[in-house]
Amino acid sequence: MLLIPLVSIDLGSVLLGQVMTDQTATLDVPLGPALTEQQAREIYRQGEEAVVFALLSLAQKLTDPQPSPPPVVTPTTPSAMIPPYLKPKPGGRRKRPGRKDGHLGSRRPTPEPNRHADHRLESCPDCHGPLTRTNQTRTRITEDIPEAITPVVTEHTIHRDWCPHCQKAVEPIVTDALPGATLGNRTLVLSAWLHYGLGNTLSQIVAVFNHHLMFKVTPGGLIQMWYRLQAILFAWYLEIQAQALDSAVLHADETGWRVNGKTHWLWCFTATDLTYFMIDRSRGSPALSEFFKDEFAGTLVTDFWGAYNAVVCARRQTCLVHLLRELKTVDKYGRPGPNWPAFAKKLRRLLGDAIRLKKREDVPVEEYASRRARLTVRLDELIATVWEDKDAKRLIKRLRRHRNDLLTFLDEPDVPFDNNHAERAIRPAVMIRKNSFGNRSDLGADTQAVLMSVYRTLQQRGHAPLNTVVVALTTYLKTGKLPPLPTKVTAAG
């Protein structure tokens, strides 16, 4: 029961629109669980009007909406859970939309018309009088989807003949669909791309096919066909993994995922021309050991998650933006000690000087090497300094553990100082998770990882996912093997 604050009953005040002038009584009582029997009897002794007023006051308090408490925002609160009015306003002037002055515009090419339509008025639209015909015309090109989209239903007559040499009956292979399937390959690949490549929900895909494309499909039928597509494209999935392990620079990140209501983790390993997704029950080294079979010969770019320390690799680069963000979080939400500002200032300057040195291209080789060596000396001096602040001690421990992983980007030209590439690559999967809430089975999780990896990699390499996968399925049905995973489309190609 709701505890009502003390209510003052004044019988000389307005009660139900009528002024009581015959008596005046004032009584302060808690109208709620704290009301005692003696207080209730005191209200009763005031008379009928006092009892009615107390009951109406209690009813009014119970019907009034109770204000919700303000949300509690902590440093670990996700950005999506923070109300917009509690987020800090962006400072500075907003970037002007569009391309910079002098750059060529971007628009889709004008299509070639395959249909012509003439438009001419019979009378003036204003006065409705007759018109004098002239030879003046202008053209306008529009492109649209026809209203009536009729699926192509093909009846295949398959001739079976006898081979006297092999002593068996043989027949040609139908490459328009998978064996025993009634859905064609283009429908299968398009529906899978809409779900695993673009993040549309299953109900949305069924609605588009049933109501717009006039193609009747069912959710269960699509899911079973996606399972079969995953089994065929699994060879490409293994190729993506092998090529990722051969990359010179590999970015890694992870996020939560749900499988049959249980917490799993979606791992993302990405390079400039590929992305490999893996859904695993573990967020630790057991999951990483499934991906990294041997020592990684390239540079691994990650955040400071401790599981990545178990990966044996030639070089590492930890995300400096995470360090800078940690400093900002302590300044805003923490309780730093008196020597925290000095520590934060030194670390910010060190990271800022390193990032600025990376961005400068006009520094001579000798000067670059000297500045690079000086940054290492400054880092060692910062680590060796004794700091009393607890947050400074915590970050010093992190700097000491990753001493050799903080400035790798200064020695490798293709290595960035942040892990932004992996965070951008995993972002489409996060949006898919918001729509689908994960998977209902382990087979569904495997299908999710395989098809997301294939479609994302094809997009990075500049290939149209629909035609590329359809052609690959045709080759698979003819030969029993998938063609090699397409390489990246070059500017010349």
Side-chain angles (χ1 to χ4, degrees):
M1 183 176 181
L2 180 63
L3 178 61
I4 305 301
L6 294 178
V7 178
S8 178
I9 304 177
D10 187 356
L11 299 184
S13 62
V14 178
L15 179 61
L16 297 178
Q18 299 180 359
V19 180
M20 300 182 59
T21 59
D22 55 343
Q23 60 176 333
T24 301
T26 302
L27 179 65
D28 291 335
V29 294
L31 296 180
L35 181 67
T36 63
E37 180 180 356
Q38 181 179 359
Q39 293 170 335
R41 292 184 179 277
E42 182 66 24
I43 297 175
Y44 179 76
R45 282 195 295 270
Q46 295 288 334
E48 180 182 353
E49 291 79 4
V51 175
V52 173
F53 183 82
L55 293 177
L56 291 177
S57 299
L58 178 61
Q60 182 65 30
K61 292 292 183 181
L62 293 177
T63 55
D64 287 342
Q66 298 298 319
S68 58
V72 179
V73 178
T74 64
T76 58
T77 303
S79 177
M81 302 296 294
I82 303 177
Y85 58 85
L86 292 181
K87 293 183 179 180
K89 295 183 179 180
R93 184 178 300 176
R94 293 185 59 186
K95 182 181 178 183
R96 182 180 177 184
R99 296 197 176 188
K100 296 181 179 179
D101 294 339
H103 286 233
L104 295 177
S106 178
R107 57 176 298 177
R108 66 187 188 94
T110 303
E112 190 69 24
N114 51 19
R115 176 176 171 267
H116 295 275
D118 290 331
H119 304 274
R120 200 160 204 171
L121 292 173
E122 296 296 333
S123 61
C124 178
D126 296 330
C127 67
H128 305 288
L131 298 176
T132 302
R133 302 303 183 186
T134 66
N135 293 329
Q136 296 181 3
T137 60
R138 69 182 183 94
T139 59
R140 177 186 174 189
I141 295 179
T142 61
E143 189 176 16
D144 202 355
I145 298 175
E147 178 182 359
I149 301 178
T150 305
V152 178
V153 181
T154 305
E155 181 183 13
H156 299 271
T157 301
I158 304 171
H159 295 275
R160 179 178 299 175
D161 298 312
W162 177 261
C163 176
H165 181 268
C166 299
Q167 293 295 305
K168 65 178 182 179
V170 294
E171 62 183 32
I173 298 175
V174 178
T175 60
D176 293 346
L178 298 183
T182 56
L183 291 180
N185 289 338
R186 297 189 66 85
T187 302
L188 167 61
V189 176
L190 175 60
S191 62
W193 176 58
L194 291 175
H195 187 63
Y196 299 101
L198 301 182
N200 295 111
T201 63
L202 182 59
S203 59
Q204 290 172 342
I205 297 172
V206 171
V208 169
F209 274 89
N210 288 353
H211 303 300
H212 174 64
L213 300 179
M214 304 303 173
F215 197 113
K216 299 301 179 181
V217 295
T218 60
L222 286 181
I223 292 176
Q224 295 301 320
M225 292 299 296
W226 293 343
Y227 289 165
R228 298 182 63 181
L229 181 63
Q230 175 266 148
I232 296 174
L233 298 182
F234 188 76
W236 278 4
Y237 184 67
L238 296 179
E239 282 191 58
I240 296 173
Q241 180 185 13
Q243 294 177 13
L245 294 174
D246 290 337
S247 301
V249 181
L250 188 64
H251 304 252
D253 199 7
E254 79 289 333
T255 187
W257 198 266
R258 303 284 285 180
V259 178
N260 199 20
K262 297 180 180 179
T263 301
H264 285 59
W265 298 94
L266 174 69
W267 294 84
C268 175
F269 304 94
T270 179
T272 56
D273 62 342
L274 60 87
T275 296
Y276 180 91
F277 292 104
M278 179 180 68
I279 299 176
D280 196 90
R281 191 72 173 87
S282 171
R283 197 192 178 189
S285 56
L288 291 171
S289 62
E290 293 184 11
F291 178 76
F292 293 99
K293 304 297 183 181
D294 301 311
E295 178 182 354
F296 180 58
T299 303
L300 182 63
V301 183
T302 66
D303 52 21
F304 290 95
W305 176 237
Y308 295 111
N309 299 331
V311 179
V312 180
C313 57
R315 293 167 301 277
R316 298 178 188 271
Q317 174 61 54
T318 49
C319 181
L320 300 188
V321 176
H322 279 73
L323 270 180
L324 295 172
R325 192 180 302 151
E326 185 75 17
L327 296 177
K328 185 177 180 181
T329 300
V330 174
D331 290 338
K332 187 174 182 180
Y333 299 104
R335 295 180 179 177
N339 61 353
W340 166 260
F343 168 78
K345 182 178 180 180
K346 284 182 176 293
L347 183 54
R348 280 195 182 97
R349 283 188 173 181
L350 174 62
L351 300 180
D353 292 343
I355 294 173
R356 282 189 291 271
L357 179 60
K358 174 71 173 183
K359 293 181 178 180
R360 291 190 59 180
E361 300 178 356
D362 57 343
V363 181
V365 178
E366 297 79 6
E367 182 180 354
Y368 185 91
S370 175
R371 292 188 179 185
R372 169 67 176 88
R374 177 58 186 162
L375 288 172
T376 303
V377 173
R378 290 169 58 186
L379 177 61
D380 292 338
E381 292 175 351
L382 182 64
I383 294 176
T385 305
V386 179
W387 302 94
E388 299 299 331
D389 185 83
K390 59 181 180 61
D391 292 303
K393 290 181 179 180
R394 175 173 55 85
L395 291 181
I396 284 294
K397 192 181 298 183
R398 182 183 300 180
L399 296 178
R400 186 180 295 113
R401 184 184 304 115
H402 297 279
R403 174 191 176 276
N404 299 326
D405 310 334
L406 297 173
L407 303 177
T408 307
F409 71 100
L410 295 175
D411 304 324
E412 303 292 334
D414 296 330
V415 176
F417 60 85
D418 56 24
N419 197 26
N420 189 42
H421 182 73
E423 293 177 349
R424 287 182 177 272
I426 207 172
R427 182 62 182 168
V430 172
M431 299 186 70
I432 292 176
R433 180 186 64 191
K434 290 181 181 236
N435 291 334
S436 61
F437 305 106
N439 303 108
R440 296 292 300 274
S441 64
D442 292 334
L443 180 56
D446 293 338
T447 304
Q448 187 86 38
V450 171
L451 296 184
M452 279 199 312
S453 301
V454 170
Y455 283 123
R456 177 66 180 174
T457 300
L458 291 177
Q459 178 182 351
Q460 288 179 264
R461 299 188 175 187
H463 294 276
L466 180 59
N467 293 333
T468 303
V469 179
V470 168
V471 171
L473 288 181
T474 302
T475 304
Y476 172 81
L477 293 174
K478 287 182 178 179
T479 64
K481 293 182 179 180
L482 273 180
L485 182 67
T487 59
K488 189 172 184 179
V489 177
T490 60

